[in-house]
Structures are given as structure tokens and as C-alpha cells.
Amino acid sequence: MSNLSNKNVLLGISGSIAAYKSAELIRRLQDSGATVRVVMTKSATEFITPLTMQALSQNPVHTELLDEVSESAMGHIELARWADFLIVAPASANLIAELTHGRSDNLLTAICLATSSDILLAPAMNQRMWLNPATQENVALLKSRGYYISTPEDGDQACGETGPGRMAEPNQIISLTNTLFQSDLLTGTNILITAGPTREPLDPVRYLTNHSSGKMGFALAEAACSAGAKVTLVTGPVNLQTPRYVVRYDVETAQDMLETCLEHAPSADIFIGCAAVSDYRPKYRNSEKIKKTDEFFKLELIRNPDVVSHVAGKFERMFCLGFAAETHHVLENARQKLLTKKLDLLVANDVSNPEIGFDSDLNEVSLIWHKGEEKLQQATKTVIAKQIINRLAALYIDSRN
Ligand SMILES: Cc1cc2nc3c(=O)[nH]c(=O)nc-3n(C[C@H](O)[C@H](O)[C@H](O)COP(=O)(O)O)c2cc1C
């Protein structure tokens, strides 16, 4: 069953030549089980008629901010509350700029400002308009505020130019919406998640660590929460806000992380080991700052416990997901890890590309489980996290039946 089944989707249409694709999008949303209402900007009505949209959506089309028909004369608030999810497709460069500035002088922008539901924008415009730094900065700012973006495609454009800016196809928008629209598949489950790096001290002022930012683990915690799970997050030192409703424990070393996980694992149904745990730690921890003496300094390291293997080995009934950050032979090493660490699902992360992975907001991963594999396209960590949680939920439910 689609995640959009029985959901209310508000489709916003702005003034772009790609508005004709919205007609198809309405049909595809309805095929997925959604009820669709349409809001059009004044310019949008120049590209496609409200009548067409009304006939397709089987609901009146809204275009005016001042709505005398609505019960409270506040149609924008009523529609903002009605929508479980908003899609603006096509999103014009102008509309994107208006949203960036929090403007609300038309019905569509007022709804976007007033809603507490998630919003997905499908930009469509001439390639120069899309590549213009003003648009790029607006999109980046909206992304950082939690808007989702269906990246436009590269190709021939209606204006005769070639480049990025073509609106994503309705099927792609539906598939992204399905991913983003989280169902309550994990209601009633407890999930334990590790995130961030660990710090292994050498002396009171120095430590060994890695580049993990914790963004992926935090995004997973948020996505698992939206899917209905109760989430406990054990994190190394990071500079991130705790997602709402997530219970957080801060730790420093691999050993601290393991102890905290073992304390909470007995009540967990699912374990997600996303932290980048240091494989080794200094054998000795000096109580005083190490002085600079000789030309060379020999550092002796010993193995740290493998947190994921420990937890997966000790709690065999628990569903376990691990991460494999690799710089070469990514898939082969990941398949091996799935078996040796006794995991149910593994996320293979190629960290050789600095554009994605560790400190970036983007990621590109492959999911590997015992009966299948799936490559996820490059996307923000928020989107990747939702895709991982959807797959995990499906496999977890399967494993219990
Ligand atoms: C024929 C034509 C095609 C247009 N196509 C686009 C487009 O694809 N994307 C876009 O951002 N603007 C496009 N525009 C410009 C917008 O329609 C214009 O910026 C308008 O003010 C947008 O209004 P809205 O954002 O309130 O809908 C086009 C204009 C014309 C005349």
C-alpha cells in the first residue's frame, strides 16, 4: 500500500510552462490513494485553466487569498490545516524567491507560511534562471529550513536551451513524496541509534577522532520518530540539536558508547549503529599533558570494542542495521560485514568522495540485506534517512511475520 493512501495532498501550481505536467501529477497522486486539492497562483492560471484542474482533482480550485466562500473567510488557514503534505509543482523562480522571504501576498505563499506539514518543491525554469546564484541560494536556504526539493532534470527546454531546470517527471515526484511521507510503520517499536564520532583521549587536552558530523545518525533518529518509533540516541561529541521526542545520551569514547548501548539495548527492538567508532584507542591515557621532548613520538594503540558487533552478537533477536564507511571495494566489503557482524541490513557509504559522506549534508549509499540490494541516488541526509527507515521498517515487519 502507498504511503499516500487516504492522505490529503495540496498541490500548489505556479507560473511555469511546466504547469501542464501538474495535470498528470494529480492523476498519479489519486492513483496512490491521495485526495488532492489544487491552489494556483494568478500566473499559473495563464498556463493551464483552473477548470482542467478542478475536473481532474474533483475539487474546487483555489486561487484567491480573500476567500468569501470559506467558513471563516480564512481559506489559507483552513487549507494549511487540511493538508497532510504540500507539493508545489511547478515551483517558479519567483515563487521560490517569495517563499525564501516569507512573503504571503497570494494564497499559495500564505498557505506555505501557515502550514505545519512538510512541503516539497519541484522547481521548473530556464537553465540560467535555475543556475543563477539568487535561485541557488534561495533553494539552499529553503532546504536548510526543511523544505524538500525534487531536483530538476537536465535536458532540452521549452525555451530552446539545454541544461538543468526541467521539472522532474510526475512519477519521480510521486516516488519522492512516498518516501518523504512517512507512515506509522514503526509505531510501538523502540529503536536505539548511535551517531557521531568517538573521542579517544591521549592526555587531558588531546584525543583521536574522525570527521563524522553525526548528521546521518540524527537524521535517522528524526525519520524513525516520524515513523512512530520511540528513539534513544547515543551520540559522540557533535554540534547538533536533538530532534524532537528523541531521548539523547552524550558519550565520548567507544567504551562509553558500548556501555550506554548495552544499558539500553534490552528494551530495544531495533539497533542502528551509525556512529563512526574509533577502531583503536591510545593504550595509555596520560593524566598530565604530554610534553614535547624527542623528535619522534611513538603512540601505542589498542583495539576498541566493535559496538555494532557486540550489540548484534549479544541481542540476537534484535533487528540490527550497521553502516560501512569505505574508501574502496565498497560493496564487497559491505557484503562481508553484513555476514561477519550478524546484521540484518547494512548501509554502504563511499566516503572517498568529499562531496558526499562524512561532514556533508548530502549522501549516496547502497542498502544491502540478505535477500537484496538497493542503490539510493544522491540526496540530502534527511531524504536518505527516510528511505533507509522505510526499507528497515519493511524488512523488520517481514522478519517478525
Ligand atoms: C511563456 C512563459 C513561460 C514561463 N516559464 C517559466 C518557468 O518555467 N519557470 C519560471 O520560474 N518562470 C517562468 N516564467 C515567468 C513566470 O511566469 C513569472 O516569473 C511569474 O511572475 C511567476 O508568478 P508566480 O510565481 O506567482 O506563479 C514564464 C513566463 C512566460 C511568459
Side-chain angles (χ1 to χ4, degrees):
M1 195 171 69
S2 156
N3 287 351
L4 292 171
S5 201
N6 299 323
K7 300 294 182 214
N8 293 335
V9 176
L10 191 95
L11 175 63
I13 305 175
S14 58
S16 153
I17 202 84
Y20 73 94
K21 290 188 182 175
S22 319
E24 168 79 5
L25 185 56
I26 293 178
R27 297 306 289 264
R28 298 287 79 83
L29 285 165
Q30 289 169 332
D31 291 346
S32 307
T35 302
V36 185
R37 280 178 178 267
V38 177
V39 170
M40 300 173 78
T41 64
K42 199 166 173 307
S43 311
T45 63
E46 306 281 345
F47 290 87
I48 190 159
T49 67
L51 190 65
T52 305
M53 295 308 177
Q54 175 170 323
L56 289 172
S57 67
Q58 294 164 10
N59 275 311
V61 170
H62 307 267
T63 53
E64 298 298 328
L65 186 53
L66 300 173
D67 183 357
E68 284 157 17
V69 183
S70 106
E71 236 169 73
S72 59
M74 286 191 285
H76 60 299
I77 303 295
E78 284 173 19
L79 286 166
R81 287 185 187 143
W82 174 84
D84 294 313
F85 195 83
L86 269 84
I87 301 175
V88 184
S92 67
N94 175 64
L95 191 99
I96 288 171
E98 288 183 334
L99 293 177
T100 308
H101 289 280
R103 294 191 62 131
S104 59
D105 58 2
N106 70 54
L107 180 60
L108 183 52
T109 50
I111 292 171
C112 289
L113 209 56
T115 190
S116 56
S117 300
D118 284 340
I119 305 178
L120 170 68
L121 304 179
M125 64 198 73
N126 163 275
Q127 50 111 12
R128 285 176 202 275
M129 289 170 85
W130 171 249
L131 293 173
N132 191 297
T135 306
Q136 289 298 310
E137 282 169 28
N138 289 342
V139 169
L141 192 58
L142 289 175
K143 263 190 201 170
S144 74
R145 291 183 190 152
Y147 278 76
Y148 297 109
I149 310 290
S150 178
T151 310
E153 291 173 355
D154 216 308
D156 294 340
Q157 301 201 298
C159 55
E161 295 181 14
T162 305
R166 284 159 53 114
M167 188 174 107
E169 291 305 318
N171 276 341
Q172 280 172 289
I173 298 175
I174 295 285
S175 130
L176 185 56
T177 308
N178 243 316
T179 301
L180 298 173
F181 204 98
Q182 298 247 292
S183 58
D184 292 336
L185 283 176
L186 292 174
T187 299
T189 56
N190 288 318
I191 305 197
L192 178 62
I193 303 180
T194 66
T198 59
R199 268 185 195 168
E200 308 298 337
L202 274 157
D203 68 15
V205 294
R206 303 182 182 95
Y207 50 78
L208 297 180
T209 190
N210 57 62
H211 287 296
S212 169
S213 64
K215 287 176 187 166
M216 195 65 234
F218 275 59
L220 283 164
E222 191 160 10
C225 242
S226 320
K230 273 174 83 177
V231 179
T232 304
L233 180 63
V234 180
T235 177
V238 294
N239 196 11
L240 296 172
Q241 285 227 325
T242 314
R244 259 201 316 170
Y245 309 121
V246 167
V247 179
R248 167 174 173 171
Y249 294 90
D250 287 284
V251 296
E252 289 242 333
T253 65
Q255 280 176 308
D256 296 341
M257 186 169 273
L258 178 61
E259 278 165 31
T260 311
C261 285
L262 291 177
E263 203 178 304
H264 295 279
S267 56
D269 306 294
I270 298 172
F271 176 71
I272 301 180
C274 183
V277 180
S278 299
D279 291 331
Y280 293 89
R281 67 178 183 275
K283 187 167 181 187
Y284 306 104
R285 176 182 184 167
N286 268 52
S287 57
E288 288 172 11
K289 186 179 168 206
I290 299 166
K291 292 276 178 238
K292 179 167 52 183
T293 48
D294 300 335
E295 193 65 19
F296 295 100
F297 179 81
K298 229 181 180 175
L299 184 59
E300 219 180 326
L301 300 175
I302 55 167
R303 275 293 288 268
N304 258 335
D306 183 321
V307 176
V308 175
S309 300
H310 249 78
V311 175
K314 192 161 175 172
F315 300 90
E316 283 186 0
R317 273 196 51 75
M318 191 153 61
F319 188 97
C320 289
L321 181 157
F323 272 71
E326 306 281 349
T327 50
H328 57 282
H329 305 307
V330 179
L331 287 180
E332 294 92 303
N333 289 341
R335 284 187 203 110
Q336 193 60 36
K337 270 191 185 166
L338 183 77
L339 298 174
T340 52
K341 295 198 178 195
K342 296 190 177 151
L343 301 174
D344 299 284
L345 176 61
L346 195 123
V347 180
N349 211 348
D350 183 350
V351 289
S352 62
N353 177 356
E355 299 278 305
I356 54 172
F358 271 144
D359 198 28
S360 160
D361 287 328
L362 295 174
N363 212 348
E364 187 180 311
V365 301
S366 294
L367 307 186
I368 296 159
W369 59 101
H370 294 285
K371 290 186 189 155
E373 288 185 15
E374 181 185 5
K375 184 165 170 46
L376 304 182
Q377 296 302 315
Q378 189 178 120
T380 62
K381 286 183 175 169
T382 315
V383 171
I384 296 276
K386 291 193 179 218
Q387 290 173 312
I388 294 173
I389 291 296
N390 282 346
R391 172 63 64 192
L392 174 143
L395 291 172
Y396 173 69
I397 290 166
D398 218 33
S399 73
R400 304 290 117 158
N401 291 331

